[in-house]
Amino acid sequence: MKKPLILAIETSCDDTSAALIDGNCDVFSNVISSQEEVHLKYGGVVPELASREHIRTLIPIVEMALEKAELGLKDIDAIAVSANPGLIGSLLVGVSFAKGLAFSLKKPLIAVNHIFGHVFANFLEHKDMKFPFLALIVSGGHTELVIFSSAVEYTVLGKTVDDAAGEAFDKIGKLLGLPYPGGPHIDALASGGNKLATAFPLPMLKHKNFDFSFSGLKTAGMLFLKEKGTLDEAQTHDFAASFQHAIVEVLFRKTIKALERYSLKALLLAGGVAANSELRSTFSEYCNKHNVKLHYPSEEYCTDNAAMIGAAAQFKYKKKKFATLELNASSVKGMKLL
Ligand code: KG4
Ligand code: ZN
């Protein structure tokens, strides 16, 4: 095991997770407790219920992570926690716990931006990743295109001006009566459908900048469903495939434009939507053809998990970027490093 051993905590939304990860980004345990069942009947995450679930499960999850790794609190060199962005009540549970533990163990505390966590999830499985790279970050709350020149130097090229890509998947999933979050279910339905059945709008493609917009596309999907009334099975598959294709096409075209404009030869996909099968296959095909190195995490590390928070924390530990015990959580969206 390579020092430092970091205990990482993730409670930014509706997954409670704890992981133990060493200086080589080797994961000794990554325990995730999903709250999916708690929120199921509401069709989305209920913030207060999420915080209460984190309070209930966080300590047992940390104990499980230690047990699984066959390690004890005495072995830990630092404690890392997602401190922004996310649901404030959820973040506060993790941050308060991490501060208390750092205080009692007298160990450094590392605050991690959740979005950076998604990016650095890639280092868990691709230890040979080299800077610079372009990152397409696509989750339930974020859609951003960012150039990373190093672990601490980055330029945001563009972001969504309204809904995130994952949000568009989830809202349409809700209208189709799919369980929350709808993204993976639409992905599964799409595999049996014709993506060219309906040509949905491809927002912002004509704009010169690298910003995205998904709320118009979401409305187009809503209007389509309203007009058609009920869909039979084949129509549902076709709708899912066509709607998914519009999202993937916009993400793909903007991303390759950025790769070409900045002559970048490495691309990284991050966040829950990076698990989407059409997104992965579209980028794989392009990157193979154009000699661009493509990285994306395996499904376990795509959606929210603490191992990715630990991976981002390793970079901060090396630069001795520790938080004080006055650390506070922040729900403000964006990639600001704490
Ligand atoms: O990164 P994540 O776990 O949480 C946030 O930080 O938001 O991302 C969750 C998002 C949800 O919107 C979910 O529908 C989407 O990722 N997602 C997918 C797939 N798997 C997860 N979207 C499309 N296709 C998938 N296979
Ligand atoms: Zn996330």
Side-chain angles (χ1 to χ4, degrees):
M1 181 194 301
K2 190 175 166 203
K3 276 194 165 268
L5 179 74
I6 293 183
L7 167 65
I9 309 290
E10 158 63 37
T11 65
S12 69
C13 188
D14 60 339
D15 291 300
T16 316
S17 179
L20 285 143
I21 168 170
D22 77 354
N24 200 31
C25 278
D26 285 336
V27 179
F28 293 86
S29 60
N30 181 40
V31 181
I32 306 168
S33 164
S34 160
Q35 301 179 1
E36 227 167 279
E37 293 210 344
V38 176
H39 303 286
L40 199 65
K41 62 173 177 275
Y42 304 102
V45 178
V46 182
E48 186 180 329
L49 292 182
S51 321
R52 290 178 182 277
E53 273 302 293
H54 289 308
I55 283 274
R56 197 173 68 74
T57 54
L58 181 54
I59 291 179
I61 291 295
V62 170
E63 281 177 332
M64 276 170 72
L66 287 165
E67 220 169 88
K68 216 169 159 200
E70 296 182 13
L71 292 162
L73 287 175
K74 62 175 186 343
D75 302 309
I76 294 167
D77 297 305
I79 293 120
V81 65
S82 272
N84 70 317
L87 297 174
I88 192 67
S90 290
L91 288 165
L92 283 169
V93 176
V95 168
S96 307
F97 172 80
K99 284 170 69 167
L101 194 60
F103 177 68
S104 63
L105 296 177
K106 300 190 173 56
K107 297 290 178 190
L109 176 68
I110 302 171
V112 174
N113 176 301
H114 178 83
I115 307 307
F116 280 83
H118 277 301
V119 172
F120 288 100
N122 281 279
F123 286 83
L124 297 168
E125 295 162 306
H126 310 288
K127 299 191 201 295
D128 57 338
M129 271 189 50
K130 303 256 184 312
F131 296 96
F133 55 74
L134 178 68
L136 171 66
I137 304 156
V138 271
S139 72
H142 284 76
T143 305
E144 315 211 355
L145 259 180
V146 185
I147 297 178
F148 278 84
S149 320
S150 76
V152 288
E153 291 164 286
Y154 61 94
T155 310
V156 180
L157 294 182
K159 55 181 187 300
T160 181
V161 295
D162 41 54
D163 290 355
E167 220 171 328
F169 271 113
D170 297 342
K171 286 184 178 159
I172 290 298
K174 195 171 174 180
L175 291 178
L176 285 173
L178 300 170
Y180 180 87
H185 300 282
I186 292 184
D187 190 356
L189 281 172
S191 70
N194 172 13
K195 66 182 182 185
L196 304 176
T198 307
F200 283 109
L202 303 176
M204 308 282 276
L205 271 193
K206 293 207 167 70
H207 290 230
K208 284 209 162 58
N209 62 24
F210 292 101
D211 285 340
F212 301 92
S213 161
F214 291 104
S215 86
L217 175 58
K218 179 192 68 190
T219 308
M222 277 165 55
L223 290 174
F224 179 90
L225 290 174
K226 209 169 156 190
E227 246 169 55
K228 294 275 168 196
T230 44
L231 302 182
D232 65 23
E233 201 182 324
Q235 288 170 324
T236 308
H237 284 289
D238 285 351
F239 171 76
S242 302
F243 186 75
Q244 171 177 283
H245 182 60
I247 295 182
V248 169
E249 196 62 11
V250 172
L251 294 171
F252 173 68
R253 292 212 212 156
K254 288 245 164 179
T255 304
I256 59 169
K257 191 168 105 181
L259 279 173
E260 285 163 9
R261 167 90 51 92
Y262 295 96
S263 307
L264 291 160
K265 283 287 168 200
L267 170 67
L268 176 160
L269 307 179
V273 182
N276 184 268
S277 48
E278 187 184 346
L279 189 82
R280 288 178 175 216
S281 61
T282 306
F283 277 113
S284 295
E285 198 179 311
Y286 172 88
C287 291
N288 275 339
K289 229 186 246 166
H290 294 84
N291 210 18
V292 174
K293 220 165 168 46
L294 173 67
H295 299 283
Y296 48 74
S298 61
E299 278 199 30
E300 177 189 5
Y301 297 131
C302 259
T303 44
D304 291 351
N305 68 88
M308 70 183 198
I309 302 304
Q314 290 293 349
F315 284 92
K316 291 189 93 173
Y317 189 99
K318 278 172 199 125
K319 301 236 172 250
K320 301 244 173 304
K321 290 200 177 295
F322 300 130
T324 69
L325 290 177
E326 283 170 34
L327 173 70
N328 209 340
S330 164
S331 61
V332 178
K333 279 194 183 183
M335 299 205 38
K336 209 162 170 285
L337 269 173
L338 279 174

